[in-house]
Amino acid sequence: DWGIGRAGRLLVSLREDMKQFRQLTTGQVIVLGRKTLETFPKGRPLPDRTNIILTSDRQFAAEDALICHNLGELALCLADRPAESIFIVGGDSLYHQLLPFCRTAYVTRVLSSLGADRFFPNLDRHPAWQLAEAGPIQTGLSRIGDPEAVLSFQFLRYCQDQPTDLLQWVRERGELF
C-alpha cells in the first residue's frame, strides 16, 4: 500500500534493503527532512555521504550536515552537483515535494500491509512514472516489528523521462535568494 512509516518510525528494517541503501548512497548526496534524521542511528547524519537536511525550523542545527530551509536554498545547494549523485531519502513530505524533480525512484516494495500512517506516492498510478525494472521477490526478517514474521519484498526501479528542473522551477516562482 506504499506505506513507509507509522508514528514517526519506519515500518520495517530489512537487511537487504539497508544493504542496497548503503550501496546506492555511500559517497553521494542525501536529502532528508529533520524528522527522518531523527530515525537515523543516534539521530545523526549518515557517514560517508553529504547529508542535506531540509527543514523550516530556522533554529535547527546538525553537526556534519548542510541545512536548507526551503526549496530555493536546496536548489542552490544542489546546483553544482550531478543529478545522479542526489538521493531523496525521506520522509513522506519530502517525497511528495521533490518527486517531480527526480528522474529515478528506487523502491523496496514490501508485499504486506503494515498499518502505515505515512506513504510514498503511488508511482503505479502516476502517469509520469514507469516501472523500469523489477527484481525477484525475496524474503527476510525485519529488525522492527514481529521478529518472527517473514516478509516478502521486491526491489523496483521507476523512471520518469522529463523531470522538472528544480533550479528553473524555483527561479520561475521567485524563490531563489
Side-chain angles (χ1 to χ4, degrees):
D1 62 4
W2 296 87
I4 58 172
R6 181 179 56 238
R9 301 191 52 89
L10 287 174
L11 291 175
V12 297
S13 177
L14 298 162
R15 181 181 313 277
E16 286 302 313
D17 184 38
M18 294 297 126
K19 179 180 175 184
Q20 176 174 278
F21 179 83
R22 276 190 307 276
Q23 288 174 339
L24 287 170
T25 64
T26 297
Q28 307 300 330
V29 175
I30 60 173
V31 179
L32 58 144
R34 178 188 49 79
K35 291 178 185 176
T36 298
L37 178 64
E38 292 170 2
T39 69
F40 285 3
K42 298 182 182 178
R44 298 188 40 81
L46 295 178
D48 304 320
R49 297 158 185 88
T50 300
N51 290 251
I52 301 175
I53 316 301
L54 183 61
T55 178
S56 59
D57 181 352
R58 297 218 171 251
Q59 305 304 313
F60 181 77
E63 193 173 313
D64 300 323
L66 301 170
I67 310 297
C68 294
H69 298 104
N70 54 54
L71 292 182
E73 289 180 12
L74 181 63
L76 289 174
C77 191
L78 297 175
D80 294 333
R81 300 174 191 271
E84 61 275 1
S85 74
I86 302 166
F87 290 81
I88 311 305
V89 300
D92 73 326
S93 175
L94 258 64
Y95 291 138
H96 285 87
Q97 285 181 69
L98 297 175
L99 202 58
F101 309 106
C102 297
R103 182 172 301 283
T104 305
Y106 297 94
V107 175
T108 302
R109 179 177 288 158
V110 177
L111 304 174
S112 299
S113 181
L114 300 170
D117 63 10
R118 297 289 181 255
F119 297 87
F120 190 85
N122 183 337
L123 299 183
D124 291 330
R125 293 187 180 160
H126 199 295
W129 289 90
Q130 281 74 47
L131 179 63
E133 184 178 359
I137 294 175
Q138 304 177 51
T139 58
L141 300 173
S142 175
R143 293 180 225 158
I144 299 171
D146 182 355
E148 304 292 318
V150 176
L151 296 174
S152 296
F153 64 95
Q154 183 178 31
F155 294 130
L156 307 172
R157 185 174 55 85
Y158 288 81
C159 295
Q160 72 169 332
D161 290 331
Q162 297 181 341
T164 302
D165 181 271
L166 178 60
L167 191 57
Q168 180 180 343
W169 187 86
V170 296
R171 276 189 181 132
E172 289 171 357
R173 282 154 187 76
E175 296 182 23
L176 275 182
F177 301 99

